[in-house]
């Protein structure tokens, strides 16, 4: 057994985002109940089976966020804040614990998007802004810029899975119109 997640007053969390850096896991924001949201950031150290609360997410209360990791930094953002969709992106440096706001996601506000990393680029696809999305965007951290890449060949959807293997990105499943 591992230590229970202590965030949200021990009530549990869902629709959060999570990532790993430097052999630690991180959970950011999420939803606690039907109308309760979190801005908490928690770090898990498996080597000592311990959780530590870090400074709150600077983007405020949020759920259905997205995140990806490039070169030992996490990029976290999007999501919804009590039904207001967001497009901001924040870079997290685990060494300093600092958050720096980056250029907004160019694909527009959305929650429940999917992400993956290929090489030194982050990708955001799909999601919802009241309707469903099927686009794919690439983030370049060196230029702090976004480029539209392609549309998903399947139907629009949110809450899909996405991952990368051998320099190829994969996305699928999720919640769509059909």
């Amino acid at each position: 057994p591992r230590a229970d997640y202590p965030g949200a007053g021990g009530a549990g969390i869902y629709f959060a985002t999570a990532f790993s850096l430097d052999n630690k896991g991180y959970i950011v924001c999420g939803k606690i109940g039907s109308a309760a949201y979190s801005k908490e950031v928690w770090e898990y150290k498996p080597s000592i089976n311990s959780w530590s609360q870090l400074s709150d997410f600077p983007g405020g209360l949020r759920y259905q966020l997205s995140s990806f990791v490039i070169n030992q930094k996490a990029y976290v953002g999007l999501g919804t804040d009590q039904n207001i969709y967001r497009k901001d992106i924040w870079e997290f440096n685990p060494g300093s614990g600092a958050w720096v706001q980056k250029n907004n996601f160019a694909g527009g506000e959305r929650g429940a998007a999917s992400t993956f990393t290929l090489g030194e680029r982050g990708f955001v696809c799909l999601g919802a802004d009241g309707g469903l999305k099927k686009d794919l965007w690439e983030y370049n951290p060196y230029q702090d810029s976004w480029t539209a890449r392609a549309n998903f060949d399947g139907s629009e959807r949110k809450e899909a899975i996405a991952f990368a293997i051998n320099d190829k990105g994969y996305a699928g499943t999720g919640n769509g119109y059909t």
Side-chain angles (χ1 to χ4, degrees), residues 5 19 26-29 38-43 51-61 76 90-94 96-100:
Y5 170 74
F19 55 89
Y26 295 85
I27 297 178
V28 180
C29 297
S38 173
K39 59 183 175 180
E40 295 176 348
V41 178
W42 287 85
E43 176 186 78
W51 290 94
S52 300
Q53 187 171 8
L54 306 180
S55 297
D56 286 344
F57 177 64
L61 297 169
V76 179
W90 296 81
E91 179 187 81
F92 173 70
N93 181 330
S96 66
W99 291 91
V100 176

Side-chain angles (χ1 to χ4, degrees), residues 148-162:
R149 284 297 171 207
N151 280 329
F152 181 68
D153 282 339
S155 63
E156 299 91 347
R157 61 192 71 197
K158 63 181 181 177
E159 301 165 353
I161 56 92

